[in-house]
Structures are given as C-alpha cells and as structure tokens.
C-alpha cells in the first residue's frame, strides 16, 4: 500500500499501482489491446450496441418511447461531459503519472486534469441510457463502461477514484434527467413514427400495434366508453 508523508496510507494510489502494475508484466500486444480498447474500442462497441438496440426497439409495441430513450442516451452523455468541465476546473487534480513515479503510461500527451474521467463518464452515461431503453443491451453497455474504467487505470492515466467519479456522474445525469427528457422526446418520436417518409426510423413495418393512450370515444348512441391499455415497462 502506498505510504504518504507522515506514514499515512493511500488506498487510491495503492490500487493505481496494483492495476497499472499488470501493464508492466503483460506482453506488448496485451498493452496495445488495452490501449485501443480504452481510447477507442469500447466507444465503438457502445455505438454498435446503440444500433442493435435501435433495431430491436423499432419492433416493440411502444417503439416511440424506446427510440426516445435511445435518443436520450447520447444527449445525457453530452450533458454529463459538460457538467464535468467545471468539476475538473474546481478540483484541478493532476494526472497520476505527474505525481507518482514508476507508472507504466500507455498513452502519452495527457496534460489536462484527471478528476473526473471523461471516458468513464461518457461510457457509463451511454450504458445507463441503453439500459433505460433495453435491459439486455443496457447490461452489456454498463459492463463495457466498467471495463472502460479499468482500462483507464491500467493505462496509467487515471486514479481509481477518477473512474468511480465518472461512473457516478454518468449514471446520475442519465437517470435524474431521464423523466424530463422522455417527456420532451417521446412526443417527437411519436410524431416521426406517424410520418410516411421517416416513420421507419422509429417503428418497423412488422411491429405490433402501437400502445394507445387511454381515451374516451363516443359510440353511435352518444354514450362514451373508455379505452384501457395496460402499462408497459419501457425497458424491454
């Protein structure tokens, strides 16, 4: 465990050395793989998941709501990254390799502040947003976000607490603002679903009949009857 001045121990730094130490003992191809995954690969994987989830929710009963949730996912990630800008400027934590010797740094040129991790924030916001739209793809997305966090520490460019902070920020922004986002985006996707040219973007041609909101419809005798539909969990 890392020992600070005065004999105090720092588990954050110790865990950094333990995880980054794997990079020192790993073969070069393994380090290059982790570097690619941590910088670009996992983000590409999440983009593919988004496409797969979109193709799936188009075939669901409430396709407009599912599509709205998918639209919210990258928007939430963008908002979380914007919120992180003042956080980084306030905390002003240097990258770990600037304060600690002997780290195996796989990516050079990182000169901005360390807390919180942009990559962890972005990937977790996307993963949680996917979970709101589709549980199966969302669980895979959250797993990729956790792997992203591990990669950032493995690469020597973030402390473990940088990653934890990013995962928490991405989750909080996505879930806390989701009700408002769904309220604004769902009417838009329902409108698009009803158009001839762009409707396929929201609902597949062989999708089940859409969920109809409860309404009162007058019959021929003037007496009304209420159309009832059962609530459906958004996450398929």
């Amino acid at each position: 465990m890392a020992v600070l001045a005065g004999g105090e121990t720092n588990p954050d730094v110790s865990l950094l050395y333990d995880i980054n130490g794997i990079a020192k003992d790993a073969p070069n191809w393994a380090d290059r793989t982790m570097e690619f995954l941590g910088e670009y690969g996992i983000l590409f994987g999440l983009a593919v998941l988004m496409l797969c989830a979109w193709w799936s929710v188009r075939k669901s009963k409430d396709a407009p709501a599912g599509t709205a949730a998918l639209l919210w996912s990258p928007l939430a990630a963008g908002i979380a990254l914007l919120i992180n800008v003042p956080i980084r400027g306030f905390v002003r934590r240097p990258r770990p390799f600037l304060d600690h010797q002997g780290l195996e740094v796989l990516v050079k040129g990182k000169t901005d502040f360390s807390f919180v991790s942009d990559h962890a924030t972005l990937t977790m916001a996307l993963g949680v947003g996917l979970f709101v739209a589709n549980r199966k793809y969302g669980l895979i997305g959250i797993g990729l976000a956790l792997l992203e966090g591990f990669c950032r520490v493995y690469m020597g460019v973030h402390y473990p607490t940088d990653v934890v902070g990013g995962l928490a920020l991405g989750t909080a922004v996505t879930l806390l603002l989701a009700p408002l986002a769904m309220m604004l985006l769902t009417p838009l996707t329902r409108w698009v679903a009803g158009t001839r040219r762009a409707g396929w973007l929201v609902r597949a041609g062989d999708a089940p009949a859409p969920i109809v909101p409860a309404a009162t419809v007058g019959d021929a005798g003037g007496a009304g009857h209420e159309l009832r539909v059962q609530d459906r969990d958004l996450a398929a």
Side-chain angles (χ1 to χ4, degrees):
M1 181 169 289
V3 181
L4 304 180
E8 297 181 359
T9 58
N10 187 334
D12 192 24
V13 177
S14 296
L15 189 56
L16 165 68
Y17 274 107
D18 289 341
I19 296 176
N20 180 254
I22 302 173
K24 288 186 175 182
D25 300 328
N28 183 68
W29 65 264
D31 286 347
R32 299 289 74 80
T33 299
M34 293 294 283
E35 177 187 346
F36 172 76
L37 289 174
E39 285 289 290
Y40 314 107
I42 291 176
L43 290 174
F44 177 77
L46 283 166
V48 172
L49 275 181
M50 292 282 293
L51 288 175
C52 293
W54 165 71
W55 192 259
S56 177
V57 299
R58 287 172 63 248
K59 302 177 181 180
S60 63
K61 275 190 175 182
D62 201 3
T67 306
L70 286 177
L71 285 176
W72 168 235
S73 182
L75 291 174
I79 293 173
L81 290 178
L82 288 176
I83 293 175
N84 190 28
V85 172
I87 294 176
R88 282 191 165 204
F90 176 76
V91 178
R92 300 178 68 84
R93 187 183 202 182
R95 295 280 181 169
F97 53 81
L98 297 177
D99 288 340
H100 304 284
Q101 302 296 320
L103 292 174
E104 185 75 12
V105 183
L106 302 185
V107 180
K108 309 297 182 182
K110 299 289 185 180
T111 58
D112 54 343
F113 294 119
S114 186
F115 186 90
V116 296
S117 167
D118 276 339
H119 279 75
T121 301
L122 173 63
T123 53
M124 183 54 83
L126 292 174
V128 174
L130 269 170
F131 185 81
V132 173
N134 185 289
R135 289 178 183 171
K136 178 179 68 175
Y137 291 110
L139 288 175
I140 298 174
I142 291 173
L144 288 177
L146 295 175
L147 177 60
E148 176 70 38
F150 179 84
C151 287
R152 303 308 288 179
V153 181
Y154 180 99
M155 293 157 60
V157 295
H158 279 293
Y159 294 95
T161 47
D162 298 337
V163 168
V164 172
L167 299 177
L169 177 60
T171 301
V173 170
T174 305
L175 292 182
L176 291 178
L177 297 181
L180 175 61
M182 293 300 294
M183 183 178 67
L184 296 174
L185 292 173
T186 302
L188 173 62
T189 54
R190 290 195 189 282
W191 175 79
V192 172
T195 63
R196 290 186 178 182
R197 293 186 176 180
W200 65 274
L201 291 170
V202 175
R203 190 193 310 281
D206 57 348
I211 293 178
V212 181
T216 300
V217 180
D219 58 17
H225 68 277
E226 184 177 353
L227 298 176
R228 301 182 181 276
V229 295
Q230 293 182 347
D231 291 335
R232 178 180 180 274
D233 186 4
L234 173 61

